[in-house]
Every structure is written in structure tokens, then in C-alpha cells.
Amino acid sequence: MRGSMTMLVVAAVVVSTASPAVAQRDRAAVPGLYPSVGAGTNFLNHAELLGDMPEPAWYEANIPFVDLPDREIRDTYYYRWRTYREALKNTGPKDGWIVSEFLGPVGYSAPNGGIVAAAGHHVYEGRWLRDHRYLDDYVDYWLRGSGSGPKPATDFLNKNTTDWAHQYSFWAADAVAARAAVDGRQSFATDRLPELVRQWQRWSPQFNADLGLYWQTPVWDAMEYTASSYQSPDPYHGGDGFRPTLNAYQYGDARAIAQLFRARGDVTSARQYEQAADALQRNQERWLWDDAAKFYKHVMRDDNPGRTKLADREAIGFVPWYFHMAPAANSAAWAQLTDPQGFAATYGPTTAERRSPYFMREALNGCCRWNGPSWPYATSQTLTALANLLIDYPSQPYVDRDDYLSVLRGYALTQRKDGRPYVAEAHHPDENRWLYDGKGHSEDYNHSTFNDNVLSGLLGIRPQLGNTVSIAPLAPASWTHFAVENVPYHGHNLTVLWDRDGTRYGKGAGLRVWLDGRLTHTQPNLAAVRLTIPSRASAELPSVVDDFANVSQTGFPTARASFSYSADPPTKAIDGQDFHLDVPGTRWTSYGSPNAADWLEVDLGAPAPISDLRVTFYDDGGGVRVPTAFDLQYRGTDGVWRDVPGQQRTPAVPVARQVNRVLVQPALTTDRVRILPRRADGGAVGITAFSSVRPEVPGLTASLPDLAVRAGAAVEVSTTVTAQRAMRGVRASLAVPAGWNAVPLSSATAAQLAPGRSLVTRWRVTAPAGLALGERAPVRVLATASSAAGVSSAVASAQSVFDPADYATVLWDDTFDTDRLGSYRVDGPFGEASPSLRVGDGVLTASASSRSGAVLAAPVAGSARGTAVVVEPRSFAGSAPEDSLFLGQTAGNRDFALAWFNNAGKASGVDVTVGGVRRGDEATGGCCATLTWAPGDRLAVVLQDGRLTSWQQHDGRWSLLRSAPIGSVVDPAVVAQWAPALGLRLDAGSLVVDRFTVWGRSGQ
């Protein structure tokens, strides 16, 4: 936006008023749909290799193309790029792209659906893509973004750790360095050294100084029900133990951190991490290497004073070679890979050796057993480790390149279903069927590598941080040919052909290497070679964000439609994903609509610039087909819908399964956009992705804090626009929702900003009188500069917060100065004995020596306008896992709506039971919020307008914990008549409460 406004009017539509020169510059600065491939070779038929892949232009721009004489490996290679493309999820402006594991959401994921368990695999696989922005965002998600944030330390989410990036084991630094070795953007990795060091150090609570090793719970190694787990009292979690996994990951990360410090010239820090790696290596050899069995093994942490190793070999014993941690003298371990009583299997390798008495125990009874089934996660680790052994270690007699091909080919054949490429969670080792393959859950499971194993192993492209590349193919000499074309490597395009007699490609016999389309090396055989690569990092692509993306499908942006098929809601069109599967779906369709045509609307909540709209149409070849035409409209300040002006469409006519792009020149600013697709025959249409892509101003960032507001009241907030490079004509504006008002209280412009300087503007923001308690609305700062194109932005949440002053009628107040326990009804919804309850010395004390719980229902009803229930805890019991308070309203053991506050698990959530039936996410809003209680904090629940909101007061400020739509399952008028209640539940000790108060909303 280039207008002269200092205040952005609510839901305003602003058409650019830039001069012709600036407008021409803006058009020239429009980022391409895909990165440019640049100079390279064109020896392979890319269209034929891709077949009917959706959006073929994406693959053409991003992936290395391969030609292999083994059809199964080749087809799996292209299939696995499709699954990786499906797993790319745009989470919106804050975190950008992540790589998902499951196509649909799961309850134990980090914000926006990230799961750190396979993040190392995701980075290794994605490092070969030309568009570096996917992994830039994804790495930062785990190191700096939402994925690095706090999580509840609950059993369900890993009680051992308190942040999402440590929920599961993760080889972060090693993966980041491995990625830099491909794209050559070493500075991206070194800039993140502080975060990589923090990630490494935060495993220290699981470090045993006596052994000099880390321990891990198998389930948080992403491996429940392992052979080692069955030898513990808890087969699901597994016995905590010293394992070759986390110790190897920490070794690899320490080596990578040291390498990055050396690249930055910090030799002292590098030596510190080299020494840490050396110590881990020595200690792992001492404690985890079984010299008699010639294998690395799990050592139980508890009740094992002699540090006895378990008898069973598991595939985790190959992991040290993944990081070059194992010495060459231990190569005999690899004899087990091909041993029929070891890990060999037609659809293997297995995850535990066949000799183990726990091999495949209960594996056919249901997910998820990692004690024998063929697991892609472990298979890809084993293949990477095997490639390192064969290429980087001295020759040994146990395995060779034929074994590598055999395992890789078996891995490819495993990835089949009904004769077509397919990957799910785990496969039977001896039968052609997937064991763990849940419909709507396991399809195209992205939990492993395959293409990295092809590129860096089979074809031997061995990336280096320096200006070299090693080419050491593991392809057998019997192969007459193979090709890998236009590998994006250090800013160049690398092509390698093997043509034994020169007849396959017609470019000459032997091994030939091209760089940027120019032949640079030839040799007659497949011997390893190291080549010098001219110094050039991959080109920096412009930063863009999708303002429509909303992975959670809650809040803003949101989508609506004139009609939607029941399984295809409009919010799926803006869920940040774009794929064309039937199960699960990520699309909106109008299938079954009675209308002649339908519309899909995106409501941003607050205005944003619109300049680059992208839509992908779904076409199933049956009832839902690509539209004949479509219109685009925006909502004006008067509420009238108008056609978007200045559209430049590519292609001119709608096409299915690829991006239809509409550039809007000049850009406009609005809070709502809708698309009206239509078919000439009046049939149904569908959209898998609808995006509004905004280029950011290079080197200009914007920020503002979240706002706590009260309905009808004003609050002040400051926006900050910071320049990383010299900027001219910097302008800030604040976009607020309809019904809100924003007025600048200080200058919103700066003629110049030097690098590192900021424009700070104070604003007065006024919320509408009808804002519901707990309701969130977006507030967006927009930043522009006359010296550069684009709009930088940041979005904050303005939330209506709880204020006891709004609840002036005291319905019940128990300060426990006198014993009024006889006034309460004591309920037992937990089905447990009641704790001992005592009032004395101005407190209520609940005591127990074993699991106990009770709910005290006050002898009053709630308020029809809204009820606030507040408790002032003095101290919690310190027991685990139960050390909880409950607040809400109840009609007895069969009808209640209670928020719970678990001090042991540092989490809070909501329980709703109606008519004896416990209700799920539709009433509770999901699980869970992080709770960190400190003495002096108060806890509250408000039941109002069909919602239950839970709150914590710390340092005098109330913060929302959860918001539950309880009105979806029970009439709010009925709930208002239920008794306000306080619940106490503990395992042992004493839970002490200072005060229990109930207020009714003012004005009743």
C-alpha cells in the first residue's frame, strides 16, 4: 500500500496511488510462481517421468530428475516427491511453511501440526529442493518459531520435556548442516548457531554424568512397544534407557555445531563441541557396544546397577553409522543386516532381530509395534548409515553395494498398495501388506526419507560444506545406465550420467558430469571422484507469505461458502495444504448444491493487501469438475461486493490440478475476498487451495504485541517497524476489524531508517461494545517503504479479557474463616474416594494418601447473564500425576462443565459431561493449555453466552487458558441454573485453598 493514510479505516479498500514509475517497479518485482531452474541440461523426458502428477510445473522447478534401470525404485522416487509436496503445509504469516508427518491433524502435534519426531528426515529429504523457503521456514519453526515454544509436560505429550522441539528425539544441527552442504547457504546455518546450541543443551536434563550418556524413553524416540520396551513394566512407553539413538543424535549435532563454528572462525567454541562429541563416542563404546554380540544395544537406566545390556539387537544399533560415530572396527554389526535370523526380510529390514523372543510380539494386534515390522523411519536411517559405511569407511567383508541396492529395492517394493506406490506407517516384514494403515490417517505417511537415499546413496551425490562435491555411486557395475539431472547444488545445476557404452543417452560412454549445462568431467568407470565447484550459494528467493492460510481452521482468516458438501467444508480451501487425495481431503466442493453457482469467501478479520491470488481447482473426473470460468470480488467499506479490478490471469482459462494465478495490479486492501467459480452445465466445482500471496519488503520487519482489551474500551499499543538495511519512505498503518477503531498517537512515517533502526508508533485501539469475553480478533500492522516493493506485516491477537469488575454481584464467597462445608453438595464425578476436607486457619485443606477427588457444589445457582467462578490456591500437593483443581458449574455426577488445572502436568483443559455422556472436542475446544502456577496466582472460569473460558491471573494480569463451546452440547440457560463448583483431586499430600468466590455479571 502506497497511500498517504496514517490511519487505516476499518475494512477499507485502498487502491495503490503510486506513480507510474513505482507501479512499473512493483510489477517487475512480482515474484515468480516457482524458482527459476537456470542453465542446465535437458537429457531426460521430464513430462514422461512425472506422468499424471498434479502441478507438474512445481516438480519441474524443484526436484532433481532421475532415470534408473530399476523401474520400482524410479517410480517410488517420483511418488515420494509427490508425498513430500503433499506434506508441505503453509501455516500463515507467523511460521510460514512446515513439513507435516500426517496429512491430517493429530492430537499430540505441536502448534499448526508439526511433529518433531521425523523432522531430521524431513530436512534431509527436502534439502534437494530448489526452493529453499520451505526448509528455511521449517527449520526456523523448530528453532525460533512455534515449534520451539513451551508445551505441557504431560504423559501424553512427554512429561520429560517442556518444549515442542524436544518432545521427540531430533538431530537438528546435523540436519541443518547437511542441508547447507547441498544449497551452499552456509550463512543460514551459522546464523542459527545460538538456537542450535540451545537445542543441543536442552537435552541436558536427560544426561547422566556418571555414564556420560543421554537416556531416553523409547516412545519419545518415536518407538513404542519395542523389544526393549517389552522388558520393562510399561511396554508402551518402554523402560527409560541409554540408547544408541539420542546419543548418536547428540554426537552428530555436536560435530555439526563444531563444523559451523569453524566455518565462522570460532575455533574455541568448535573445540568445545568436538570434545563433547569425542566424550560421547568414548562412552557409547564403553556402555552400549556389546563386543560379544557385535552390536550397539539399549541399556536400562533403572534397576540395572550393573548396566547390563539387553540381549536383543534392534535396528537402532545401526544409527551410529548415520553420524559416522561408530569406529571402523565395529563393522561386523552389519553382518546382521543380511542374516536371515537378524534383520533380513523381503519387505525389511525388520526393526528387531528375528532371534529376539519379542520379535513381532502383538504386532498383528494393532498399531504401533516397533519390535519387528518393517518401518520406513528405521529403514531410511539404516540405508543412510549403510551408505556412509560403504562410501566413507574402509572396505569391510560384511556388506557391499549389492546389499545396498537389495535393501533399497526391497524398501521400494514395500512402498506399494494394490500394485501402486504407497507408503503408510509400518509394513509386514514377510507379507505384501501394510500393518498400520488407518484410513484418513496413514495415507502418504511422511515419516522417512527415500529420495535422499537414492540421491546421496545409490547415485552417490555426497554434499560438502566446502566448494566441492563427491560423486561415489553405489549403483552396481552391472547397471548399463543411470542419470540424475539438474541437482540444485551450491547455486549450480549438477547433472551426472552413467552410460556404460554411450547408447542410452548418446553423450558418450562412461560417467559424465555437467555443471550448469557444461560438461566438466568424464571418466570410464564408477569410481568415486571429488570435484571442485565454483563458489556460488543458491540464489536468495524473495520472501512471501500467504495471508489466507489458517491450518487450525479456527479464528481468522476464515472461509464461508454459499453451499458445501458435508465432507468438504470451506475452511479446507485455506488450510495451507494443496493435494488431490480423496482421503483425507483438503478441499471445498459444492457437490450436491441446489444452486446454479456457488461462492467461496475468505474473511481476513482485518484488512490486508491483495496483489497475488492463487487458486487450485479440484477435479475428480466425475461429479466435481474444473469450472468453465470464475469471478473474483472484494467487499468495500459500504459492504457491497465488487469485482476485483486490474486482474492479470495465468492461464486465461481455468485449469484443474495446477495453480491458476491472478495478479492484482495495482494492489488493493480489503478484509474480504470471494471467488465465484461456475460451470457452463451448472455442475459442482471444488477448490483444494485458495491463497493470497504477499511479497514482503526485503530487510523490513514489523511487529506488535498481542492486545488485552475490554468491550467498548480503548487500549494503547505500539507497533515497531525495523530496517535491516537502509530504507527510505517507511510507513506504518494499523488494520483493525470492522467495528474497531485505530488512531495514531505518534508519527507513522519515517523519511529514512538506517540499518538496525526502528519506526515506533503508538496507537489507540478501541474495541466494539459487543465483543464477547475471550473473543479474539486480528490486528495487523502493515509496513511499506518507497525504496523497495512489497508489504511487510505482522498480526497480533486482540482479545477480550476477564475483568472481575464486570461481575459485580457476589453470588457466593467462602473465605474459609468459618466452616461452611456442610453448605456444599459433595459430588464424586471421578468415581474415587473423597479426600479428607477440613476448614481451619482461614483455608480449605484437602488431604489424601492415595488417589482421591471430590467436587464441592455451592448452594447457589449461576447467573443467566454470566457466572465467574474464582479460586485462590495457597499451595498444591506436589503429587503426580493428579494435583488438580476444577472450576465450573455442575448439576451432579452426570451433568457438569468444569475446567481443570493440573499443577503436576502443568496443563489445563475442560471436561464436559451431559446426561452421563462425556463430550469431546466439539464441547471442550480440544486439549490443552500450558499452565505454570506460582503462589499468589488466581484461577477463574467464566460461563457466559454458551462458552466456558478458563483464566489465570499472574502478576495482576488475567490470561486466557482455554475457550470451550459448551453451548454446542447443552443449553446455556440450563447451565446457568447449575451450581458453581470447586473440585479438588490429588494423589497424595495436601491441596490448600485460600478463597472460593462466585460472581454474577453486572447489569442483571
Side-chain angles (χ1 to χ4, degrees):
M1 186 178 64
R2 299 282 185 264
S4 60
M5 299 188 308
T6 56
M7 179 182 75
L8 188 62
V9 179
V10 172
V13 178
V14 181
V15 177
S16 173
T17 57
S19 67
V22 173
Q24 180 62 39
R25 180 206 65 205
D26 284 353
R27 280 193 288 272
V30 171
L33 197 57
Y34 308 107
S36 172
V37 174
T41 61
N42 192 27
F43 302 145
L44 304 180
N45 187 330
H46 296 182
E48 181 180 281
L49 290 167
L50 290 175
D52 64 350
M53 202 86 78
E55 199 181 347
W58 184 88
Y59 300 91
E60 189 69 53
N62 274 292
I63 72 169
F65 281 77
V66 304
D67 177 40
L68 305 172
D70 189 303
R71 179 70 178 264
E72 284 73 20
I73 296 176
R74 188 196 73 181
D75 288 354
T76 306
Y77 176 87
Y78 290 103
Y79 162 73
R80 286 299 298 266
W81 279 128
R82 196 198 83 192
T83 65
Y84 199 90
R85 173 71 181 90
E86 292 167 355
L88 294 173
K89 180 185 298 186
N90 196 316
T91 65
K94 180 182 178 183
D95 288 318
W97 292 97
I98 68 168
V99 186
S100 62
E101 179 177 321
F102 296 97
L103 296 180
V106 294
Y108 54 86
S109 63
N112 294 320
I115 303 175
V116 79
H121 284 322
H122 295 159
V123 175
Y124 262 80
E125 193 88 333
R127 63 182 177 154
W128 302 99
L129 294 176
R130 186 166 280 104
D131 194 331
H132 60 75
R133 292 171 294 193
Y134 299 119
L135 287 189
D136 283 2
D137 286 352
Y138 187 53
V139 167
D140 280 348
Y141 170 82
W142 291 119
L143 297 182
R144 297 174 171 178
S146 299
S148 67
K151 72 165 183 65
T154 61
D155 183 65
F156 180 64
L157 299 173
N158 188 352
K159 64 182 180 181
N160 302 324
T161 64
T162 57
D163 68 277
W164 292 108
H166 293 81
Q167 181 184 14
Y168 293 92
S169 303
F170 177 25
W171 53 105
D174 171 82
V176 168
R179 187 273 185 111
V182 173
D183 71 7
R185 296 166 61 247
Q186 192 168 279
S187 62
F188 178 90
T190 55
D191 286 349
R192 282 144 185 83
L193 268 169
E195 291 83 6
L196 293 171
V197 167
R198 182 185 64 190
Q199 174 75 14
W200 191 89
Q201 291 176 340
R202 281 188 175 175
W203 285 110
S204 59
Q206 292 176 224
F207 184 74
N208 180 298
D210 292 336
L211 272 66
L213 291 174
Y214 294 86
W215 60 267
Q216 181 60 294
T217 307
V219 70
W220 306 122
D221 241 355
M223 299 179 67
E224 57 268 41
Y225 294 112
T226 64
S228 52
S229 299
Y230 276 107
Q231 297 172 70
S232 78
D234 182 359
Y236 170 71
H237 291 87
D240 295 337
F242 306 98
R243 295 166 61 78
T245 46
L246 183 57
N247 287 288
Y249 301 163
Q250 285 291 88
Y251 171 89
D253 279 5
R255 287 287 181 207
I257 289 169
Q259 191 176 26
L260 293 174
F261 270 126
R262 285 194 178 276
R264 206 170 68 176
D266 187 346
V267 175
T268 301
S269 296
R271 285 174 178 163
Q272 174 187 346
Y273 283 90
E274 288 165 350
Q275 290 167 1
D278 290 344
L280 272 174
Q281 187 180 43
R282 289 193 301 272
N283 294 326
Q284 178 149 287
E285 289 306 302
R286 178 182 179 186
W287 297 108
L288 304 189
W289 175 253
D290 185 337
D291 197 51
K294 304 298 182 186
F295 217 75
Y296 292 100
K297 293 182 175 179
H298 177 112
V299 173
M300 289 291 188
R301 184 193 70 180
D302 302 327
D303 301 321
N304 185 21
R307 303 304 181 192
T308 302
K309 305 169 187 67
L310 296 185
D312 313 83
R313 298 181 183 90
E314 300 175 85
I316 58 173
F318 292 124
V319 169
W321 280 270
Y322 188 108
F323 303 95
H324 299 88
M325 185 185 193
N330 291 355
S331 298
W334 289 93
Q336 299 301 320
L337 183 67
T338 57
D339 190 324
Q341 292 304 306
F343 299 92
T346 302
Y347 300 99
T350 62
T351 44
E353 64 175 336
R354 293 179 187 271
R355 299 181 189 88
S356 169
Y358 305 98
F359 177 75
M360 294 293 285
R361 177 176 291 192
E362 300 178 334
L364 305 184
N365 295 350
C367 196
C368 300
R369 271 70 178 174
W370 310 124
N371 60 343
S374 174
W375 187 31
Y377 184 106
T379 299
S380 57
Q381 281 188 327
T382 300
L383 279 164
T384 300
L386 178 57
N388 289 344
L389 174 75
L390 295 173
I391 295 172
D392 301 330
Y393 280 72
S395 178
Q396 40 69 41
Y398 306 104
V399 284
D400 58 23
R401 65 176 58 207
D402 289 335
D403 296 312
Y404 186 89
L405 177 62
S406 176
V407 175
L408 182 66
R409 177 172 169 76
Y411 185 24
L413 290 173
T414 299
Q415 297 177 74
R416 292 293 185 275
K417 185 176 182 178
D418 300 327
R420 298 174 60 85
Y422 183 84
V423 61
E425 297 181 68
H427 199 282
H428 198 291
D430 302 313
E431 300 174 13
N432 187 17
R433 62 186 178 102
W434 289 96
L435 289 176
Y436 311 141
D437 183 17
K439 187 175 183 181
H441 178 70
S442 305
E443 295 89 352
D444 294 354
Y445 185 45
N446 187 39
H447 200 242
S448 60
T449 60
F450 180 82
N451 294 338
D452 183 71
N453 302 116
V454 170
L455 294 168
S456 69
L458 180 68
L459 303 182
I461 310 297
R462 309 291 286 180
Q464 312 292 321
L465 279 178
N467 297 324
T468 62
V469 63
S470 291
I471 300 174
L474 292 176
S478 60
W479 273 16
T480 60
H481 67 277
F482 67 76
V484 54
E485 182 165 66
N486 295 335
V487 178
Y489 187 82
H490 288 231
H492 300 276
N493 282 319
L494 179 71
T495 295
V496 179
L497 299 185
W498 165 249
D499 194 344
R500 193 164 60 189
D501 59 12
T503 59
R504 173 71 178 187
Y505 304 112
K507 302 299 177 183
L511 185 78
R512 294 174 175 257
V513 181
W514 283 259
L515 198 65
D516 299 327
R518 183 171 57 89
L519 183 64
T520 59
H521 176 78
T522 63
Q523 65 183 52
N525 53 37
L526 290 176
V529 61
R530 183 183 291 263
L531 303 175
T532 300
I533 301 293
S535 177
R536 184 202 299 168
S538 298
E540 291 295 325
L541 298 171
S543 176
V544 296
V545 298
D546 179 5
D547 285 320
F548 281 3
N550 184 349
V551 172
S552 69
Q553 302 176 49
T554 60
F556 291 96
T558 191
R560 308 178 187 93
S562 55
F563 180 89
S564 300
Y565 180 61
S566 59
D568 303 328
T571 51
K572 284 195 174 183
I574 60 168
D575 66 359
Q577 293 182 279
D578 183 5
F579 53 79
H580 301 261
L581 303 178
D582 287 332
V583 180
T586 176
R587 59 180 179 261
W588 163 76
T589 73
S590 63
Y591 183 74
S593 174
N595 306 322
D598 286 286
W599 50 261
L600 172 72
E601 171 194 335
V602 177
D603 182 350
L604 289 158
I610 304 296
S611 61
D612 186 351
L613 294 170
R614 304 178 185 183
V615 58
T616 308
F617 293 109
Y618 178 70
D619 189 328
D620 63 8
V624 181
R625 303 305 302 269
V626 65
T628 308
F630 66 91
D631 295 326
L632 286 168
Q633 297 180 336
Y634 68 92
R635 192 182 73 156
T637 56
D638 55 4
V640 175
W641 288 93
R642 297 179 175 87
D643 289 340
V644 171
Q647 299 181 39
Q648 302 172 23
R649 298 189 176 193
T650 306
V653 177
V655 294
R657 294 159 52 92
Q658 65 186 53
V659 176
N660 295 260
R661 190 182 196 191
V662 182
L663 296 178
V664 180
Q665 299 284 352
L668 61 85
T669 299
T670 183
D671 66 343
R672 295 192 189 183
V673 175
R674 72 181 181 185
I675 183 170
L676 301 91
R678 58 189 183 277
R679 283 170 52 181
D681 60 5
V685 296
I687 291 174
T688 63
F690 189 28
S691 304
S692 177
V693 176
R694 169 172 48 85
E696 296 187 298
V697 181
L700 191 69
T701 60
S703 64
L704 76 162
D706 289 339
L707 287 73
V709 300
R710 292 177 63 194
V715 65
E716 290 190 12
V717 65
S718 292
T719 61
T720 303
V721 178
T722 303
Q724 282 77 49
R725 62 186 72 171
M727 291 285 175
R728 299 191 309 275
V730 177
R731 181 180 300 276
S733 58
L734 194 64
V736 294
W740 294 61
N741 190 277
V743 178
L745 302 177
S746 62
S747 177
T749 62
Q752 296 185 58
L753 280 183
R757 300 303 297 270
S758 299
L759 166 65
V760 179
T761 306
R762 291 187 302 111
W763 304 81
R764 180 185 295 118
V765 177
T766 305
L771 193 65
L773 181 65
E775 181 177 343
R776 295 180 186 270
V779 176
R780 180 177 283 109
V781 58
L782 304 172
T784 60
S786 62
S787 57
V791 180
S792 294
S793 179
V795 180
S797 173
Q799 184 176 58
S800 172
V801 297
F802 172 58
D803 188 337
D806 296 330
Y807 301 80
T809 303
V810 177
L811 302 178
W812 179 258
D813 187 21
D814 196 343
T815 59
F816 305 112
D817 291 321
T818 60
D819 188 346
R820 303 165 68 187
L821 283 177
S823 300
Y824 292 93
R825 183 185 75 238
V826 180
D827 295 337
F830 314 121
E832 299 161 354
S834 175
S836 172
L837 300 173
R838 181 177 61 86
V839 171
D841 300 323
V843 296
L844 167 66
T845 302
S847 302
S849 57
S850 60
R851 175 69 58 81
S852 303
V855 172
L856 305 182
V860 296
S863 167
R865 287 179 54 81
T867 305
V869 186
V870 182
V871 66
E872 299 179 16
R874 174 172 291 191
S875 61
F876 280 86
S879 60
E882 277 302 331
D883 188 11
S884 304
L885 289 172
F886 294 76
L887 290 179
Q889 289 180 251
T890 176
N893 294 341
R894 292 174 55 81
D895 294 280
F896 55 83
L898 299 170
W900 51 267
F901 307 87
N902 186 306
N903 184 61
K906 299 188 182 304
S908 180
V910 178
D911 287 340
V912 180
T913 293
V914 181
V917 178
R918 185 168 182 174
R919 308 309 293 257
D921 290 355
E922 80 282 4
T924 67
C927 178
C928 300
T930 300
L931 172 73
T932 303
W933 180 85
D937 290 359
R938 292 196 291 173
L939 304 171
V941 161
V942 179
L943 297 102
Q944 182 175 309
D945 301 327
R947 299 197 74 83
L948 180 156
T949 54
S950 58
W951 303 83
Q952 178 183 13
Q953 186 190 47
H954 180 72
D955 289 339
R957 180 177 179 179
W958 288 99
S959 300
L960 180 71
L961 295 172
R962 297 297 302 164
S963 180
I966 63 173
S968 65
V969 298
V970 59
D971 186 344
V974 172
V975 175
Q977 297 303 309
W978 293 354
L982 165 66
L984 310 99
R985 195 180 188 203
L986 65 161
D987 280 311
S990 296
L991 204 164
V992 183
V993 173
D994 272 330
R995 190 171 188 172
F996 172 50
T997 309
V998 182
W999 288 305
R1001 190 178 179 193
S1002 305
Q1004 55 188 333

